[in-house]
Amino acid sequence: MEKIRCGWCEKDDLYRKYHDEEWGRPVYDDETIFEFLILESFQAGLSWYTILTKRENFRKAFDNFNYKKISKYSEEKIEDLMQDPGIIRNRLKILATVTNAQKFMEVQKEFGSFSSYIWGFVGGKPVNNNPKSLKDVPATTEISDNLSIDLKKRGFKFMGSTVVYAHMQATGMVNDHLENCFIKQW
């Protein structure tokens, strides 16, 4: 019997694997949360599929998403990244990654972990939505609006409400798997 999945992931095996193993699963460790923050910020204006196909290139280029290292990137490292054809070579997004790594650590100091901070916006547990079709899945919510505003106040870049909501979906802060999706059962 074939598994029923959310329709957006049926493009290829890479997308199906991401959907089946990661998307919408609650993530509480800061390292993975940071990885998704970076990937989502690079997605702004692009498709998630584009970012997903370049994910391993991003991992290599950005020191395995080590925010402590990224926070100290020099101008020389930024220029090296601008020459890397395996990633999205957008100077503003690369600079934002450095800034976001610095701000990420500031939030960790204030809240004990970034996870505690970000999950606080949903009361520490996933918001379980029950969309019947892809049309029922929003691009933003009041929660993503508020989180986006707070992140921007803290100095984060490329963290508009749409990017933030996509991050919330990816890290399981919201469960937007369709009602008939086999993942919805967990």
Side-chain angles (χ1 to χ4, degrees), residues 120-139:
F121 282 83
V122 292
K125 60 185 186 340
V127 173
N128 198 5
N129 296 327
N130 293 300
K132 292 180 181 6
S133 73
L134 294 177
K135 295 181 303 198
D136 298 328
V137 178

Side-chain angles (χ1 to χ4, degrees), residues 93-112:
K93 290 180 180 182
I94 292 170
L95 291 171
T97 300
V98 177
T99 298
N100 290 348
Q102 295 163 351
K103 301 305 175 187
F104 188 88
M105 291 189 300
E106 288 175 15
V107 169
Q108 284 179 315
K109 284 180 189 158
E110 183 178 345
F111 289 86

Side-chain angles (χ1 to χ4, degrees), residues 4-181:
I4 296 173
R5 295 178 173 87
C6 301
W8 60 263
C9 75
E10 292 296 355
K11 185 175 189 144
D12 65 13
D13 287 340
L14 176 67
Y15 235 17
R16 281 187 285 277
K17 183 176 180 354
Y18 171 69
H19 169 273
D20 292 359
E21 297 176 10
E22 292 184 85
W23 191 76
R25 308 266 179 164
V27 174
Y28 295 97
D29 69 279
D30 279 3
E31 290 73 18
T32 306
I33 290 171
F34 182 75
E35 174 181 346
F36 277 107
L37 271 179
I38 297 315
L39 293 173
E40 296 293 352
S41 69
F42 272 93
Q43 181 203 348
L46 302 169
S47 76
W48 178 244
Y49 186 77
T50 298
I51 301 304
L52 195 58
T53 60
K54 294 177 178 283
R55 187 179 189 179
E56 291 310 311
N57 297 335
F58 275 101
R59 186 180 313 284
K60 183 178 173 190
F62 285 95
D63 291 297
N64 206 30
F65 301 108
N66 182 323
Y67 50 85
K68 291 175 183 170
K69 286 184 180 179
I70 293 169
S71 72
K72 297 176 183 171
Y73 277 1
S74 66
E75 187 59 41
E76 181 182 345
K77 174 66 174 178
I78 290 165
E79 288 307 316
D80 288 346
L81 291 168
M82 285 296 298
Q83 304 307 312
D84 188 337
I87 66 169
I88 306 300
R89 294 179 287 183
N90 178 310
R91 181 175 298 278
L92 292 177
K93 290 180 180 182
I94 292 170
L95 291 171
T97 300
V98 177
T99 298
N100 290 348
Q102 295 163 351
K103 301 305 175 187
F104 188 88
M105 291 189 300
E106 288 175 15
V107 169
Q108 284 179 315
K109 284 180 189 158
E110 183 178 345
F111 289 86
S113 71
F114 193 86
S115 179
S116 294
Y117 160 75
I118 201 166
W119 277 92
F121 282 83
V122 292
K125 60 185 186 340
V127 173
N128 198 5
N129 296 327
N130 293 300
K132 292 180 181 6
S133 73
L134 294 177
K135 295 181 303 198
D136 298 328
V137 178
T140 64
T141 63
E142 185 177 342
I143 296 170
S144 68
D145 292 346
N146 292 335
L147 179 51
S148 171
I149 289 166
D150 198 68
L151 286 167
K152 288 177 184 177
K153 279 183 192 171
R154 293 173 181 281
F156 284 81
K157 308 289 184 200
F158 285 94
M159 289 292 139
S161 189
T162 303
V163 167
V164 168
Y165 193 71
H167 181 268
M168 292 171 67
Q169 290 173 309
T171 59
M173 292 174 67
V174 295
N175 182 351
D176 277 339
H177 284 282
L178 301 183
E179 281 186 346
N180 64 346
C181 176

